[in-house]
Amino acid sequence: MKYLGFFPALTPAEVKDRVAHARKAQKVWALSSFKQRRQFLRILLKYIIEHQDLICEISSRDTGKTMVDASLGEIMTTCEKLTWLLSEGEKWLKPEYRSSGRSMIHKSSRVEFHPVGVVGAIVSWNYPFHNIFNPMLAAVFSGNAVVIKVSEHASWSGCFYFRIIQAALAAVGAPENLVDVITGFAETGEALVSSVDKIIFVGSPGVGKMIMKKASETLIPVTLELGGKDAFIVCEDVDVSHVAQIAVRAALQSSGQNCAGAERFYVHQDIHSAFVGEISKIVKSVTAGPPLAGKYDMGAICMQEHSERLQSFVNDALDKGAEIVARGSFGNLGGDAVDQFFPPTVIINVDHTMRLMQEEVFGPILPIMKFSSDEEVIKLANDSRYGLGCAVFSGSQRRARIIASQLHCGIAAINDFASNYMCQSLPFGGVKDSGFGRFAGVEGLRACCVVKSVVEDRWWPLVKTKIPKPLQYPVAENGFEFQKHLVEILYGLNIWDRLRSLVDLIKILTEQNSSTNVKHRID
């Protein structure tokens, strides 16, 4: 509850002015070399590695997460993205040659990736460092400018991190205003959507729908990452103590505010009691307290009144027959900070009538439900309006893979949780109310581009495209017959039919040439 500072809520006119400056800078940066872009990334990587303590402390002050959680979620993921872009980014943005098919065998076909212009990003508060760097790195490396609206709940840290980016850009001679960070509320975000060439949004489904509606006015592409209700499935053939540790980390990661990680736990009935006992033991050892004190496993919830919302989920579940079996404890809290914390809580006897199992909680609550068969747990896991990710644990990797393949979501981890995001070559995103489009990976990098298809003569000027005489204007009477035989030659399934059509087509061309020669002699 300490005062950090205040920042302006930009007006629509101010936002449009910022985007206009970014657009001018982008026209210069679009001509930059990949060598220059990689140098920008190397400077950032060097700074991050050398200033881990500072970056994590800033994130911790603004969001309440612990230093460990800040390192895992902010530092490692960003360093991994930087490393992947340095290693593979240029390869995936170079022209990609494709087959030209049978009818265009004399042509060369390729796909080119050009920057879209100015990318706009509206990001959430739970990872203030990574949520800025994630869209910025992909946008800038692919030749774009980017304007990022940070959350009103994490503006202080966002503006601090912006200074790091500015210094790195200046060091490589990039144009001013290529990257900008803006602050404000809904009005500011709406103006950003109206001004840019693409929008990336990380937030709730409700706001995501409003973003889409606004983006439809200018018909710009949209990438939406709208949170999740990830299923964490534990079969009976696992190492219970090992998986229990992962389960608690999955539920409590990024401290109390969570990151829409595992929110529904399905445990096979044969190990339910043992698993609940192991998780309860771990959770009881967890203490929520001021994160910078260094001795707490969980930090604060930076959203005002969110602890009340979490308690309402718990109360709803208890009213419908659920039972609390374990809770963590609080550390030394000031009287004005009590509402900013929520103890990690394990709940059993839950079912899908409870809000806890249907709505996104975003908090340190572990609701555990029994299942008796793989078919049942697949049905339970798919009974959600969200579809971001899942984690499946089994002593049989094949069994876990089969279960995961039938879950309707965009991300699956086999015998692990959230490891996908540490593989920055992989796309990140979901389905259903978890949104659409992808960031990270090849797909996320190319999503910042205009994808252009290019076809040209392969052996030009020796071989040039020429329209066959029967198809030239005025089209000959046998033009359709010629075209029909051409289709059969190229795509017929039977070799003899194709040869027969080839003979017929040659006859047509011969007759065409003969009649043309006669006409010329008469003339």
Side-chain angles (χ1 to χ4, degrees):
M1 299 302 292
K2 289 184 178 178
Y3 174 77
L4 295 175
F6 65 91
F7 295 87
L10 269 61
T11 66
E14 290 172 319
V15 173
K16 293 182 188 301
D17 184 59
R18 296 283 194 96
V19 173
H21 282 96
R23 199 174 297 284
K24 289 180 181 178
Q26 190 275 328
K27 295 184 186 306
V28 177
W29 184 250
L31 303 175
S32 64
S33 66
F34 281 111
K35 180 180 179 181
Q36 185 180 13
R37 298 176 195 181
R38 277 194 294 271
Q39 184 64 17
F40 168 60
L41 266 55
R42 288 193 189 96
I43 290 171
L44 287 176
L45 183 58
K46 184 174 187 294
Y47 181 90
I48 292 168
I49 293 170
E50 293 177 354
H51 297 83
Q52 294 183 57
D53 289 11
L54 175 63
I55 293 168
C56 291
E57 185 174 335
I58 295 295
S59 175
S60 178
R61 280 190 185 277
D62 216 358
T63 68
K65 66 179 65 180
T66 64
M67 294 288 282
V68 169
D69 283 329
S71 178
L72 286 169
E74 308 274 28
I75 300 293
M76 286 190 70
T77 49
T78 303
C79 288
E80 189 65 38
K81 189 175 190 73
L82 283 161
T83 304
W84 179 78
L85 283 170
L86 284 167
S87 174
E88 299 187 36
E90 180 179 355
K91 175 177 73 172
W92 296 112
L93 291 176
K94 282 186 172 181
E96 182 178 282
Y97 285 84
R98 306 278 179 89
S99 63
S100 297
R102 293 179 180 180
S103 64
M104 293 289 115
I105 194 170
H106 59 296
K107 297 286 188 180
S108 170
S109 303
R110 67 180 180 273
V111 180
E112 295 178 352
F113 303 95
H114 301 273
V116 298
V118 180
V119 175
I122 301 175
V123 299
S124 60
W125 43 268
N126 55 338
Y127 288 104
F129 182 75
H130 182 70
N131 283 347
I132 289 176
F133 275 69
N134 183 36
M136 182 277 295
L137 292 172
V140 170
F141 194 80
S142 53
N144 297 283
V146 60
V147 179
I148 305 167
K149 181 198 171 296
V150 292
S151 169
E152 56 268 33
H153 300 291
S155 297
W156 177 75
S157 55
C159 290
F160 180 90
Y161 297 140
F162 176 43
R163 289 157 55 191
I164 300 172
I165 298 168
Q166 284 179 306
L169 286 170
V172 298
E176 289 186 24
N177 306 309
L178 183 67
V179 176
D180 204 351
V181 168
I182 61 175
T183 52
F185 300 98
E187 182 184 48
T188 306
E190 287 179 14
L192 182 63
V193 177
S194 300
S195 309
V196 296
D197 303 302
K198 174 188 172 67
I199 193 73
I200 298 170
F201 174 70
V202 182
S204 68
V207 178
K209 290 176 182 178
M210 291 189 281
I211 296 285
M212 276 191 71
K213 185 176 180 180
K214 194 68 180 175
S216 70
E217 296 176 4
T218 49
L219 290 177
I220 61 168
V222 177
T223 296
L224 300 178
E225 201 279 276
L226 306 178
K229 195 74 183 166
D230 291 5
F232 190 105
I233 298 171
V234 185
C235 298
E236 75 283 0
D237 54 355
V238 301
D239 179 338
V240 172
S241 61
H242 168 71
V243 179
Q245 272 289 345
I246 298 175
V248 175
R249 165 56 65 182
L252 307 188
Q253 65 176 359
S254 292
S255 74
Q257 77 269 27
N258 200 267
C259 72
E263 292 207 349
R264 296 179 296 155
F265 295 81
Y266 300 102
V267 179
H268 196 280
Q269 59 186 12
D270 290 353
I271 60 166
H272 180 265
S273 296
F275 190 80
V276 170
E278 193 69 31
I279 277 196
S280 298
K281 185 167 58 177
I282 298 170
V283 165
K284 287 176 182 177
S285 70
V286 174
T287 304
L292 291 177
K295 57 183 178 181
Y296 300 105
D297 294 302
M298 258 184 51
I301 297 168
C302 76
M303 298 277 286
Q304 287 187 345
E305 301 178 353
H306 187 58
S307 60
E308 294 179 11
R309 184 169 184 268
L310 296 180
Q311 190 59 49
S312 73
F313 283 121
V314 172
N315 293 341
D316 173 74
L318 296 177
D319 290 343
K320 294 174 180 175
E323 177 188 350
I324 294 176
V325 292
R327 296 197 100 165
S329 59
F330 286 128
N332 296 320
L333 303 180
D336 59 346
V338 173
D339 291 340
Q340 299 301 112
F341 292 84
F342 195 87
T345 304
V346 181
I347 301 182
I348 61 172
N349 299 331
V350 294
D351 60 51
H352 282 207
T353 66
M354 301 170 184
R355 293 173 58 206
L356 194 57
M357 298 296 281
Q358 292 295 338
E359 299 179 35
E360 188 175 35
V361 173
F362 240 71
I365 302 174
L366 294 84
I368 303 175
M369 187 172 178
K370 295 179 185 178
F371 72 89
S372 58
S373 68
D374 293 0
E375 293 74 21
E376 180 189 13
V377 78
I378 290 167
K379 185 177 179 180
L380 287 169
N382 284 330
D383 179 26
S384 173
R385 63 191 182 99
Y386 292 99
L388 183 56
C390 70
V392 184
F393 292 81
S394 171
S396 165
Q397 197 160 343
R398 180 176 179 274
R399 179 186 180 188
R401 193 183 304 128
I402 290 172
I403 293 173
S405 70
Q406 298 177 72
L407 304 185
H408 195 197
C409 58
I411 302 163
I414 307 298
N415 286 321
D416 201 353
F417 176 80
S419 50
N420 310 66
Y421 206 59
M422 288 308 298
C423 303
Q424 280 290 316
S425 63
L426 295 176
F428 184 90
V431 297
K432 300 191 282 189
D433 276 16
S434 289
F436 56 83
R438 297 293 184 267
F439 53 75
V442 179
E443 294 78 3
L445 185 61
R446 289 179 171 177
C448 294
C449 300
V450 174
V451 180
K452 183 181 292 185
S453 300
V454 180
V455 178
E456 59 181 289
D457 289 316
R458 191 185 298 273
W459 299 291
W460 191 89
L462 300 176
V463 178
K464 298 180 181 179
T465 299
K466 187 175 181 181
I467 299 174
K469 284 187 177 180
L471 303 183
Q472 292 180 9
Y473 291 110
V475 177
E477 291 183 3
N478 58 2
F480 177 71
E481 187 179 358
F482 173 89
Q483 179 63 27
K484 186 173 70 171
H485 288 312
L486 183 60
V487 170
E488 290 172 349
I489 291 166
L490 291 171
Y491 309 111
L493 299 178
N494 186 297
I495 185 65
W496 298 113
D497 290 341
R498 293 169 69 182
L499 288 172
R500 193 179 304 113
S501 294
L502 177 60
V503 172
D504 291 340
L505 186 139
I506 292 171
K507 285 181 181 179
I508 292 174
L509 289 174
T510 303
E511 291 170 0
Q512 186 89 10
N513 288 334
S514 298
S515 62
T516 300
N517 290 336
V518 169
K519 184 176 184 299
H520 284 164
R521 284 199 297 270
I522 292 173
D523 291 343

